[in-house]
PDB file of all heavy atoms in Angstrom:
ATOM      1  N   MET W 850      -4.635  -0.231  -7.656  1.00  0.00           N
ATOM      2  CA  MET W 850      -4.458  -1.303  -6.684  1.00  0.00           C
ATOM      3  C   MET W 850      -5.293  -2.521  -7.057  1.00  0.00           C
ATOM      4  O   MET W 850      -4.857  -3.663  -6.858  1.00  0.00           O
ATOM      5  CB  MET W 850      -4.816  -0.791  -5.292  1.00  0.00           C
ATOM      6  CG  MET W 850      -3.820   0.235  -4.753  1.00  0.00           C
ATOM      7  SD  MET W 850      -4.167   0.786  -3.060  1.00  0.00           S
ATOM      8  CE  MET W 850      -3.794  -0.733  -2.144  1.00  0.00           C
ATOM      9  N   VAL W 912     -14.138   4.328  -1.640  1.00  0.00           N
ATOM     10  CA  VAL W 912     -14.658   3.462  -2.701  1.00  0.00           C
ATOM     11  C   VAL W 912     -16.113   3.168  -2.364  1.00  0.00           C
ATOM     12  O   VAL W 912     -16.399   2.435  -1.411  1.00  0.00           O
ATOM     13  CB  VAL W 912     -13.863   2.148  -2.830  1.00  0.00           C
ATOM     14  CG1 VAL W 912     -14.509   1.246  -3.883  1.00  0.00           C
ATOM     15  CG2 VAL W 912     -12.403   2.410  -3.185  1.00  0.00           C
ATOM     16  N   SER W 920     -15.506  -7.077  -7.486  1.00  0.00           N
ATOM     17  CA  SER W 920     -15.960  -8.076  -8.449  1.00  0.00           C
ATOM     18  C   SER W 920     -15.538  -7.776  -9.883  1.00  0.00           C
ATOM     19  O   SER W 920     -15.787  -8.585 -10.785  1.00  0.00           O
ATOM     20  CB  SER W 920     -17.491  -8.183  -8.388  1.00  0.00           C
ATOM     21  OG  SER W 920     -17.939  -8.535  -7.097  1.00  0.00           O
ATOM     22  N   TRP W 925     -18.581   1.804  -9.722  1.00  0.00           N
ATOM     23  CA  TRP W 925     -18.141   2.184  -8.390  1.00  0.00           C
ATOM     24  C   TRP W 925     -17.477   3.554  -8.528  1.00  0.00           C
ATOM     25  O   TRP W 925     -17.197   4.019  -9.641  1.00  0.00           O
ATOM     26  CB  TRP W 925     -17.155   1.168  -7.803  1.00  0.00           C
ATOM     27  CG  TRP W 925     -15.902   1.009  -8.614  1.00  0.00           C
ATOM     28  CD1 TRP W 925     -15.721   0.196  -9.699  1.00  0.00           C
ATOM     29  CD2 TRP W 925     -14.659   1.706  -8.438  1.00  0.00           C
ATOM     30  NE1 TRP W 925     -14.447   0.339 -10.217  1.00  0.00           N
ATOM     31  CE2 TRP W 925     -13.770   1.256  -9.444  1.00  0.00           C
ATOM     32  CE3 TRP W 925     -14.205   2.652  -7.518  1.00  0.00           C
ATOM     33  CZ2 TRP W 925     -12.461   1.731  -9.565  1.00  0.00           C
ATOM     34  CZ3 TRP W 925     -12.900   3.119  -7.638  1.00  0.00           C
ATOM     35  CH2 TRP W 925     -12.046   2.651  -8.649  1.00  0.00           C
ATOM     36  N   ALA W 930     -17.754  14.783   0.329  1.00  0.00           N
ATOM     37  CA  ALA W 930     -18.677  15.884   0.591  1.00  0.00           C
ATOM     38  C   ALA W 930     -18.075  16.811   1.631  1.00  0.00           C
ATOM     39  O   ALA W 930     -17.261  16.396   2.459  1.00  0.00           O
ATOM     40  CB  ALA W 930     -20.025  15.365   1.082  1.00  0.00           C
ATOM     41  N   PRO W 976     -32.794  16.499 -12.813  1.00  0.00           N
ATOM     42  CA  PRO W 976     -33.847  15.499 -12.992  1.00  0.00           C
ATOM     43  C   PRO W 976     -35.145  16.118 -13.489  1.00  0.00           C
ATOM     44  O   PRO W 976     -35.470  17.262 -13.164  1.00  0.00           O
ATOM     45  CB  PRO W 976     -34.017  14.916 -11.579  1.00  0.00           C
ATOM     46  CG  PRO W 976     -33.528  15.985 -10.661  1.00  0.00           C
ATOM     47  CD  PRO W 976     -32.443  16.715 -11.400  1.00  0.00           C
ATOM     48  N   GLY W1091     -48.449   0.255  13.208  1.00  0.00           N
ATOM     49  CA  GLY W1091     -48.807   0.731  14.554  1.00  0.00           C
ATOM     50  C   GLY W1091     -49.346   2.130  14.523  1.00  0.00           C
ATOM     51  O   GLY W1091     -49.341   2.852  15.475  1.00  0.00           O
TER      52      GLY W1091
END
Side-chain angles (χ1 to χ4, degrees):
M850 291 183 69
V912 176
S920 301
W925 60 275

